[in-house]
Every structure is written in structure tokens, then in C-alpha cells.
Amino acid sequence: MSPALQSYDIERADFARVIAGVERIRAAALPELESLDWLVETIRSVGLVPIPEAAIAYEGEEDFLNGSQQGVVQLPREFARWLQLAAAHRPARYLEIGCFNGATASLAAAYLARFNPAFEALSIDVWPGFIFHREMRDLVPLRYEVGRTSFDLRGQKFDAVFIDGDH
């Protein structure tokens, strides 16, 4: 097997964990969605991107590192708290600036859509890293636009914004 194909297979396998996390959120009962521990566990199940200095950045979370660039870059507990805070306000329009591989945008869209049936999300990035968006858009209300910046969205209104560009 070529190194490129092997690398793609690893990316695909780790992205399957993102899909599984989204499906878990979509199927959850309200008490689960409201449980911080359940949400943290769900985010951990998706896995973390192995960034430089991961041992320092993810201290205590190293067991959840993926083997590819698929997964979340945020600390699971911190990201779960953000999702619960946003959900308390039941946003209809959500923007993520800097989506990288789309994992956090996908999880956020799945989670926040559970609290508002009119929910829609937009995720933008200057670089096309969300290579599996076509699969995700069938599962959650998430648009993805490449080459856009916050400047391009001036005048538009969003109920919640997650600024995740360049960590």
C-alpha cells in the first residue's frame, strides 16, 4: 500500500470517530446532553489531534490522541463547557472561524441543533482542511466555506461565534 493511501486510511478511520461522536449526540436523551461528564466522554471518544507539545497542551488527556490530523484540538472539558454555555442560549445561527478539520464544528452543530430545531451553522477557514465535509453535511446543519475570513462576513449576525483560528 502506498504511503499516501495508508495516510488517507488513517485519516478516514479517525474521522469515523468524529461521525460516531456526532451520531451519539444526535441519539442522546436530554439528561445525557445536559451531563458535562457525558459530553466530555463523547468529545474524548472523538480523539485529539496530535499537535506539537501535545504532552503539555493536553496534560491529563494524552490517552485520547489520534494517529492523524482528525479530531479536536480543544481540551475536551473546556470545549464541553463552551457547548453547554452556548446551548443554554439556544442559538439559531452559529459561526466557527477557523475550522481546520471540521471536528469541533461538526460536534457543535450536532449538539446545538438538539436545542433549537431552526439551528444552522457556518464554518469558515482560509485553508481547505475539512476534507470530509460532504459526509458530515448530511448529518448536521453545517455549511463550510473555504477562503473566507471574518471580514467577508461583516454585517451578518450570528447568535454564537467560536473563534478557533490559529490556536
Side-chain angles (χ1 to χ4, degrees):
M1 181 181 303
S2 76
L5 185 55
Q6 185 176 16
S7 178
Y8 177 81
D9 287 345
I10 293 168
E11 296 279 332
R12 162 80 46 215
D14 283 342
F15 189 74
R17 296 169 62 171
V18 177
I19 291 173
V22 164
E23 289 176 342
R24 186 175 184 203
I25 291 168
R26 290 178 62 201
L30 187 59
E32 289 172 314
L33 293 173
E34 292 173 340
S35 166
L36 179 63
D37 290 337
W38 181 89
L39 189 54
V40 169
E41 178 187 320
T42 299
I43 294 167
R44 285 178 176 153
S45 75
V46 166
L48 303 169
V49 173
I51 60 174
E53 300 184 15
I56 296 168
Y58 297 138
E59 186 176 350
E61 302 284 346
E62 301 90 0
D63 291 345
F64 304 102
L65 286 174
N66 284 345
S68 76
Q69 292 299 296
Q70 299 300 316
V72 298
V73 180
Q74 292 71 28
L75 295 172
R77 185 165 298 279
E78 185 177 274
F79 187 57
R81 286 184 175 143
W82 157 246
L83 291 176
Q84 288 186 328
L85 174 66
H89 297 281
R90 307 219 183 309
R93 296 196 69 219
Y94 180 85
L95 171 64
E96 181 170 309
I97 299 172
C99 72
F100 181 46
N101 61 27
T104 56
S106 299
L107 292 169
Y111 188 77
L112 297 173
R114 294 295 310 275
F115 296 91
N116 186 340
F119 178 83
E120 58 183 40
L122 170 61
S123 187
I124 62 172
D125 207 311
V126 295
W127 188 255
F130 192 178
I131 59 176
F132 299 113
H133 175 255
R134 287 186 183 158
E135 292 174 59
M136 190 55 66
R137 72 180 179 201
D138 293 334
L139 299 175
V140 296
L142 175 62
R143 288 187 1 249
Y144 169 57
E145 298 178 8
V146 178
R148 307 270 316 265
T149 68
S150 56
F151 183 77
D152 297 314
L153 302 174
R154 66 189 177 279
Q156 294 187 41
K157 295 183 180 186
F158 296 91
D159 301 314
V161 177
F162 185 60
I163 301 173
D164 195 25
D166 201 24
H167 290 268

